[in-house]
Amino acid sequence: MSWTWEYVFGAEEAARTAPPAFLTEIERKADELVRAAEAQYLHGPTHDGDDPKGDDIVVRGGMFRYQIVVRSERVYVVQITYLGF
């Protein structure tokens, strides 16, 4: 398994109607989160501790909320909010 990110829950549905430039910003930040998590949790599937607390990230146009699940080697984008700024 290798680290990656994906939309889940309502974020997947919201991404279908969000502006492409906004989604590009989310994807860029999600890629950064994946690289950071991969470096910090080298042996993800054997991780026996708690997953780190998720957080919100502000990007151009709005924000998104993510959660890292170490054992799955995934960064999940669980909510996106387009504000148009």
Side-chain angles (χ1 to χ4, degrees), residues 41 44 46-52 69-71:
Y41 302 103
T46 60
H47 180 75
D48 62 355
D50 292 335
D51 289 323
V69 180
V70 178
R71 287 172 294 286

Side-chain angles (χ1 to χ4, degrees), residues 10-79:
E12 184 174 20
E13 184 67 28
R16 291 185 185 132
T17 60
F22 174 60
L23 294 177
T24 299
E25 291 295 317
I26 291 173
E27 292 166 7
R28 186 177 60 78
K29 283 293 191 180
D31 287 338
E32 289 177 19
L33 289 168
V34 166
R35 288 191 297 276
E38 188 172 31
Q40 185 170 359
Y41 302 103
L42 296 176
H43 305 290
T46 60
H47 180 75
D48 62 355
D50 292 335
D51 289 323
K53 182 179 180 283
D55 204 0
D56 297 333
I57 294 184
V58 175
V59 295
R60 189 174 358 156
M63 56 146 302
F64 71 97
R65 176 167 290 183
Y66 71 92
Q67 178 63 52
I68 298 172
V69 180
V70 178
R71 287 172 294 286
S72 297
E73 294 186 335
R74 293 288 185 274
V75 175
Y76 292 108
V77 175
V78 298
Q79 179 183 5

